[in-house]
Amino acid sequence: MRLSLEKRDTPLVSGWSVVAMSVLAVVIGMVLGGVLFLPFEASPWEGYQSLIGNAFFSKRGFGYTLVTATPLMMVGFGTIVAWRCGFIFLGFEGCLLIGAMGGTMVGLGALEGGILSTSAPALVVTLALIWGATLGALWAGLVGELKTRFGGNEVLIALMMNFLAIYLVQYLVAGPWRVVGDMPQTERLPKDLWLPYILSGTRLHAGFLIALASGVVIWVVMAKSRVGFEMIASGLNPRSARYSGILVGIRQRQAALIAGGLAGLAGAITIYGVHHRLLDGLSDGTGFVGIVTALLGRMTIPGTAIASVLYGGLSVGGDAMQRQTGLPSSIVLIVQASIVLLLLATEVLRTHRIVLSGKRKV
């Protein structure tokens, strides 16, 4: 029996159809992943119970899920702004690291003998978040300027700048900012500079509320303002946008600054809410995973927020599943990747249907 894809007359737009396909993709991904449990004599049922229970039905675990989702949401929101404006930016990893570096710079200045040592903690944290966002915006803005002024390829430039950011952070934590010890990291920031926890018994910090607020602001800008309309028009058809009087280059520069600023803010929040110091390997691919959550959320603010929480749950629950079943970490990663890939593949079923033997349609 031959399988083929046939284009639908009209794409599926019903919210229920999208939910149904997403649930089906998750179930299929879990079933396929469960097969990998068998050679290790591990129970798929117990493993998935541990994954879901620890990620979403445990207060402490759900707190970690939301903490993990926070930077993913902000990178995802930045992806929406940049990509919908036609600025295909892949440099969020670098912006996040540069933002973390900027936030740490301000925090170190508040240590004993520093220029901000007598400042109120709330002022220091505010300055740190602003400075982190500013550096992230400038980092992405440089890519935007090279694209709009000189016609540079923003994908290649941004990817190369990611490595610059990684090596810059490595230099700082192994050199001038390194604290005495075996690990390449900076001195720990004092507790009065940490973001406050907002859910008792968990590590959920106020950065989650900042992420939600940034999502609301981005939604208002993109859906309700002239600037947002012109950004979207520039991304859909730059030539038509120029003929209608839209300054496409300026809008793309603005999109770069906003997107980079969100990622830089996410980096500063990660310092003050999670690690409390700058260290090597801080981002752990968050700048790329955030792009995936935006795609999973179909480039919408609510969808990206939900996808970020679900991905955060996969990460937190995957660690719990590995501890519960004793599976190798590679199996856990395969299960996570299978679910994400199948979720992305459901986008095809919105515009195409599966045809069996050219007759039966599913």
Side-chain angles (χ1 to χ4, degrees):
M1 188 173 290
R2 186 172 59 88
L3 292 176
S4 61
L5 288 176
E6 180 182 280
K7 190 173 180 63
R8 297 181 185 273
D9 295 331
T10 56
L12 296 175
V13 295
S14 168
W16 286 111
S17 63
V18 173
V19 171
M21 288 190 294
S22 298
V23 171
L24 181 61
V26 172
V27 172
I28 294 174
M30 294 175 73
V31 171
L32 293 176
V35 175
L36 301 176
F37 286 50
L38 302 181
F40 298 92
E41 299 182 352
S43 168
W45 176 252
E46 291 182 1
Y48 289 134
Q49 270 189 322
S50 177
L51 186 152
I52 297 172
N54 281 277
F56 300 106
F57 295 99
S58 160
K59 183 179 179 181
R60 180 179 177 84
F62 188 58
Y64 277 118
T65 294
L66 297 182
V67 168
T68 305
T70 296
L72 296 178
M73 289 168 56
M74 302 193 73
V75 171
F77 298 153
T79 302
I80 292 173
V81 174
W83 286 31
R84 294 191 72 180
C85 191
F87 180 66
I88 310 303
F89 186 62
L90 299 180
F92 293 104
E93 188 86 349
C95 292
L96 192 147
L97 288 171
I98 292 299
M101 181 198 73
T104 304
M105 182 189 306
V106 175
L108 294 177
L111 298 178
E112 185 177 355
I115 190 173
L116 297 174
S117 58
T118 59
S119 302
L123 176 61
V124 173
V125 174
T126 301
L127 290 175
L129 298 184
I130 292 174
W131 186 234
T134 300
L135 290 184
L138 293 175
W139 193 260
L142 177 59
V143 180
E145 185 67 21
L146 292 174
K147 171 185 169 60
T148 56
R149 183 176 293 272
F150 303 107
N153 187 310
E154 72 269 31
V155 174
L156 293 177
I157 296 172
L159 288 174
M160 293 302 101
M161 289 185 67
N162 285 337
F163 289 102
L164 289 178
I166 291 171
Y167 293 137
L168 177 58
V169 169
Q170 288 179 349
Y171 163 73
L172 291 173
V173 298
W177 288 2
R178 180 168 184 164
V179 69
V180 176
D182 297 330
M183 298 292 293
Q185 58 189 11
T186 66
E187 188 173 348
R188 192 180 192 185
L189 300 179
K191 284 191 175 183
D192 57 0
L193 295 182
W194 297 7
L195 289 175
Y197 298 130
I198 58 176
L199 185 62
S200 62
T202 73
R203 294 284 183 175
L204 181 59
H205 53 75
F208 177 69
L209 300 180
I210 298 175
L212 292 179
S214 68
V216 173
V217 172
I218 294 302
W219 179 81
V220 171
V221 169
M222 298 300 289
K224 303 295 182 180
S225 72
R226 176 179 175 179
V227 171
F229 172 80
E230 292 186 352
M231 284 183 178
I232 295 172
S234 299
L236 291 174
N237 194 321
R239 179 176 294 181
S240 297
R242 289 189 181 95
Y243 281 134
S244 64
I246 296 174
L247 301 175
V248 174
I250 290 178
R251 293 307 179 212
Q252 289 187 340
R253 289 185 181 95
Q254 291 172 339
L257 291 172
I258 294 172
L262 286 170
L265 180 58
I269 286 174
T270 300
I271 293 295
Y272 285 82
V274 181
H275 298 292
H276 313 301
R277 67 175 82 211
L278 186 65
L279 64 160
D280 190 16
L282 171 77
S283 61
D284 196 26
T286 300
F288 295 107
V289 176
I291 297 174
V292 174
T293 62
L295 295 174
L296 286 173
R298 291 176 169 82
M299 301 300 283
T300 65
I301 297 298
T304 299
I306 294 172
S308 298
V309 173
L310 292 177
Y311 196 97
L314 281 177
S315 299
V316 173
D319 292 340
M321 183 174 69
Q322 183 182 356
R323 294 191 299 268
Q324 177 73 22
T325 60
L327 289 170
S329 59
S330 58
I331 301 299
V332 177
L333 291 174
I334 290 173
V335 172
Q336 294 173 344
S338 299
I339 293 174
V340 171
L341 287 174
L342 286 169
L343 283 171
L344 289 172
T346 58
E347 183 65 23
V348 176
L349 296 180
R350 291 183 61 248
T351 56
H352 293 74
R353 59 168 60 91
I354 300 175
V355 179
L356 304 177
S357 299
K359 294 181 180 180
R360 289 183 57 195
K361 299 180 179 181
V362 180

